[in-house]
Amino acid sequence: MGGKKIVCRCNDVTVEEVEALIDSGVTDIEELKRLLRIGMGPCQGRTCVPIVLGILARKTGRSQEEIPLPKARVPIRPVRVEVIVGGADE
């Protein structure tokens, strides 16, 4: 019964992965977001960000209020992958 403790269901991130990064010195929520892709799935962090903030607060001795929420970055406009990789006319 010692299965994985999932923090982010959208991107299959575990508590162990979050804690390992924090233990290695990553204590910035933005950096955790970039490395683990928390908050980037379909739920946009509604589930995982509060959990990760709690883990980060516990591991660093800070309160959750002291840790700024990660910034939301909305795409300006959608771009087809073919345009990015050069497979279609712009």
Side-chain angles (χ1 to χ4, degrees), residues 54-82:
I55 296 168
L56 186 57
R58 177 177 48 82
K59 298 284 283 179
T60 61
R62 295 185 284 174
S63 70
Q64 288 190 31
E65 293 76 26
E66 293 177 86
I67 303 168
L69 292 173
K71 293 177 179 42
R73 292 177 179 86
V74 180
I76 295 172
R77 67 183 179 109
V79 177
R80 294 183 58 83
V81 173
E82 294 87 5

Side-chain angles (χ1 to χ4, degrees), residues 4-8 13-20 51 55 58:
K4 296 191 302 183
K5 297 177 202 159
I6 301 292
V7 169
C8 174
V13 177
T14 65
V15 170
E16 293 77 17
E17 290 172 304
V18 174
E19 289 180 338
I51 296 170
I55 296 168
R58 177 177 48 82

Side-chain angles (χ1 to χ4, degrees), residues 6-11 13 18 22 29-30 32-34 36-41 43-57 64 67-72:
I6 301 292
V7 169
C8 174
R9 291 177 285 181
C10 300
N11 291 312
V13 177
V18 174
I22 295 169
I29 191 73
E30 288 291 340
L32 287 169
K33 179 180 176 179
R34 281 190 294 278
L36 296 172
R37 301 199 47 80
I38 57 164
M40 296 185 189
C43 84
Q44 292 295 289
R46 285 185 288 281
T47 302
C48 59
V49 168
I51 296 170
V52 172
L53 284 173
I55 296 168
L56 186 57
Q64 288 190 31
I67 303 168
L69 292 173
K71 293 177 179 42

